[in-house]
Amino acid sequence: MSRFLDARTSQNASTAGSMNGVGLTANQNVLIGQIGLNTAGAAGPIRVQLNGVATFFVFSGGFITLTLFAVRGSVATDPVVASNRLQLNPGATTPTNTFPLYLIGSDYNPVPSAEIVYSLFVNSSVNVNRIGPESFNGCAYSD
């Protein structure tokens, strides 16, 4: 039977439009959420479930790639455990300029620790605005 170990939330913006268009510079990995999960003393394999969301306002234009990725650690170059990418051409394919990007992922059997840090980053191929919501959540379980 599974045993709940810990759960954390990193809430940057709770509602749609609440960030008032915070700029995101092209090709920059920007930290938008970070959690630390306590897994000390876990017996058996540890399973971590992660989910996150970020919403963007994209100006009309050409091809754009938005990426949301979670790492085990605190910097963008740490091991990626989950990612999602949205590729679009808002000037050609849709009448809206608001795009949510969701991340649902898992990390299987990390080393037990008093705190395993997970960080959520966002990246865009062009300058866009972050408008909210932005949230990052994680839960850890073991056998």
Side-chain angles (χ1 to χ4, degrees):
M1 181 160 84
S2 292
R3 186 180 116 199
F4 171 77
L5 299 173
D6 198 7
R8 302 284 180 207
T9 295
S10 177
Q11 189 71 29
N12 197 26
S14 298
T15 59
S18 61
M19 293 183 68
N20 200 25
V22 174
L24 178 62
T25 304
N27 302 310
Q28 300 278 324
N29 293 324
V30 176
L31 176 69
I32 63 170
Q34 192 169 70
I35 57 175
L37 297 173
N38 182 345
T39 59
I46 297 170
R47 293 171 308 285
V48 175
Q49 297 174 345
L50 302 166
N51 65 70
V53 62
T55 305
F56 308 91
F57 182 85
V58 177
F59 306 101
S60 296
F63 188 76
I64 298 166
T65 301
L66 299 166
T67 305
L68 195 59
F69 64 100
V71 301
R72 186 184 324 118
S74 58
V75 297
T77 54
D78 284 330
V80 174
V81 295
S83 68
N84 194 10
R85 180 174 291 154
L86 178 64
Q87 295 179 319
L88 49 98
N89 184 344
T93 61
T94 182
T96 183
N97 290 352
T98 302
F99 298 94
L101 183 55
Y102 301 95
L103 175 87
I104 299 171
S106 305
D107 190 16
Y108 181 74
N109 210 19
V111 176
S113 173
E115 183 176 68
I116 301 175
V117 173
Y118 291 93
S119 302
L120 183 65
F121 290 88
V122 65
N123 185 296
S124 176
S125 61
V126 300
N127 293 348
V128 298
N129 282 338
R130 298 163 42 205
I131 60 172
E134 286 185 355
S135 182
F136 183 45
N137 307 290
C139 297
Y141 302 89
S142 71
D143 291 336

